[in-house]
Amino acid sequence: MDEALLRTVQTMPKAELHIHIEGSLEPELIFALAGRNNVPLAYASVEDLRRAYAFDDLQSFLDIYYAGASVLLTEQDFYDMTRAYLQRAKADNVRHAEIFFDPQTHTARGVAFSVVIDGITRALREARTQHGMSGSLIMCFLRHLSEEDAFSTLEQALPHRDKFIGVGLDSSEYGHPPEKFARVFARCRELGLHLVAHAGEEGPPAYIQTALDVLQVERIDHGVRCLEDPALTRRLAREQVPLTVCPLSNIKLRVFNQLHEHNLLALLEADIAATVNSDDPAYFGGYINDNFAAVFEALPLRREHAYRLARNSFTASFLDPQAKQQYLNEVDAFFEH
Ligand code: HPA
Ligand code: ZN
């Protein structure tokens, strides 16, 4: 690819809207935390663990991802993990991050909700004061668990209402359609929380439809399978529903065979408000700039697409209008020369 374009996508100001903080846990940190906490691991070394990162589909990834997260026990562990992600994101000129966390993965192991959210929040506050980065949290419900379990997680979260801005839906998609969580999302909407959901990653376009109509989400995470349904594609464009697309994730989990077959350009050409994100960077071979570099290398994307993607990332964020405009001005200034 054109060196100037590569430099542009890497240095442009951007927001990251689809990053699971547990998916930023690098093998080295997994081993360090396992040692610190005396948690046994099924892998002999960092290299041995990395070799296991060959996935056939979403579920084969999730099994390893939940095993990796089992080393997280203390507030300091959640702080260390989040700090490492934020430092890495800063190097990619991420100016704002909306970060997913999976409390049920931890509370099911006896880790208190407050330990999880306080550790993550401490790192976010520090990034704001030290690096001028903004960040907020979106709590995901695990869709392979029951709606009742999601309700009890919401109960545990409410004393910390000021520390997260919204809720999402992640984990195994097939067989767990959005409408399974209709009541808990309705409750979250009453509470004034922002709503997002993973849909149309592995699951069918119908899941995108019900995420919009039943859950009333404001963004779709992934959503790449929307192009199989022309009416849905037109609707996403008309309503400018943002999609948080994660190109390297889609290759690792075999949603597309190769990056040159990815539909990011087709989504943009259909006038959909797509964004580029890393999903689970420690597992999928790269952080946000690695995703930008790889997808610009594989597809005939140009400078005008870089500009659109940078703008989309802030427009699609849940920042207040004033902060959003400030970041959009930064993007415009960056692309002026
Ligand atoms: N899809 C569903 N659940 C997840 C993902 C994903 O890409 N990453 C972490 N949890
Ligand atoms: Zn995801």
Side-chain angles (χ1 to χ4, degrees):
M1 183 195 15
D2 172 355
E3 279 301 313
L5 184 54
L6 177 61
R7 215 166 34 251
T8 296
V9 297
Q10 292 189 323
T11 56
M12 68 187 187
K14 54 184 74 77
E16 178 148 58
L17 306 178
H18 187 159
I19 157 80
H20 301 263
I21 199 62
E22 295 89 349
S24 75
L25 199 51
E26 293 285 350
E28 289 77 6
L29 191 51
I30 291 179
F31 269 83
L33 296 182
R36 189 156 99 187
N37 293 332
N38 284 313
V39 175
L41 286 174
Y43 303 90
S45 65
V46 164
E47 295 70 35
D48 197 27
L49 177 56
R50 264 218 175 83
R51 262 194 298 277
Y53 293 180
F55 314 114
D56 300 317
D57 54 16
L58 176 57
Q59 192 57 52
S60 63
F61 154 68
L62 290 169
D63 294 341
I64 287 188
Y65 163 82
Y66 295 132
S70 72
V71 301
L72 294 159
L73 292 182
T74 68
E75 194 260 9
Q76 185 68 33
D77 299 341
F78 288 92
Y79 166 82
D80 288 344
M81 168 176 67
T82 309
R83 186 176 118 103
Y85 162 70
L86 290 166
Q87 285 188 333
R88 192 60 191 71
K90 178 183 157 49
D92 285 358
N93 206 18
V94 171
R95 305 281 293 111
H96 173 72
E98 294 181 1
I99 299 175
F100 293 135
F101 71 115
D102 286 343
Q104 288 155 300
T105 301
H106 314 300
T107 53
R109 297 180 290 114
V111 178
F113 188 96
S114 59
V115 164
V116 178
I117 200 161
D118 288 347
I120 300 174
T121 300
R122 179 154 65 96
L124 278 171
R125 286 210 194 101
E126 191 184 273
R128 189 183 291 274
T129 55
Q130 292 186 352
H131 310 308
M133 277 173 80
S134 51
S136 42
L137 283 179
I138 297 177
M139 172 173 79
C140 281
F141 299 121
L142 299 180
R143 69 203 302 161
H144 68 275
L145 301 177
S146 67
E147 187 179 45
E148 192 186 350
D149 209 310
F151 265 115
S152 100
T153 302
L154 180 60
E155 278 306 308
Q156 295 169 60
L158 285 181
H160 305 273
R161 173 66 186 84
D162 57 322
K163 301 184 190 122
F164 63 103
I165 60 161
V167 297
L169 192 61
D170 67 0
S171 191
S172 324
E173 192 177 4
Y174 277 131
H176 304 286
E179 53 271 30
K180 177 177 166 186
F181 296 90
R183 283 159 301 183
V184 74
F185 268 66
R187 178 75 190 116
C188 291
R189 192 164 66 249
E190 284 171 5
L191 291 165
L193 288 158
H194 286 291
L195 308 178
V196 300
H198 284 53
E201 175 187 17
E202 274 192 348
Y207 285 17
I208 300 174
Q209 198 102 32
T210 53
L212 293 172
D213 292 336
V214 181
L215 302 189
Q216 297 187 36
V217 300
E218 299 158 81
R219 296 197 297 247
I220 297 286
D221 297 309
H222 294 293
V224 291
R225 287 194 59 194
C226 70
L227 293 185
E228 293 168 30
D229 181 338
L232 176 64
T233 302
R234 286 193 297 275
R235 174 187 182 182
L236 292 171
R238 189 173 62 245
E239 297 178 8
Q240 286 292 290
V241 178
L243 300 190
T244 61
V245 176
C246 308
L248 290 174
S249 164
N250 292 156
I251 302 311
K252 292 285 182 186
L253 302 187
R254 306 200 183 176
V255 174
F256 299 94
N257 288 321
Q258 296 182 66
L259 215 43
H260 69 83
E261 296 168 19
H262 197 281
N263 65 10
L264 176 67
L265 179 54
L267 292 168
L268 291 171
E269 284 176 343
D271 202 28
I272 284 175
T275 62
V276 168
N277 307 271
S278 69
D279 206 6
D280 300 283
Y283 292 90
F284 297 151
Y287 288 78
I288 193 168
N289 277 2
D290 300 306
N291 276 271
F292 270 107
V295 81
F296 271 71
E297 182 75 63
L299 297 175
L301 289 155
R302 300 180 301 276
R303 183 178 163 86
E304 70 220 53
H305 299 112
Y307 177 59
R308 248 180 92 188
L309 288 164
R311 282 194 63 93
N312 286 352
S313 74
F314 293 110
T315 306
S317 75
F318 295 133
L319 284 161
D320 65 65
Q322 195 182 343
K324 201 181 271 199
Q325 192 54 54
Q326 233 159 41
Y327 283 127
L328 287 169
N329 292 345
E330 266 190 48
V331 172
D332 287 352
F334 178 90
F335 277 92
E336 258 162 33
H337 37 261

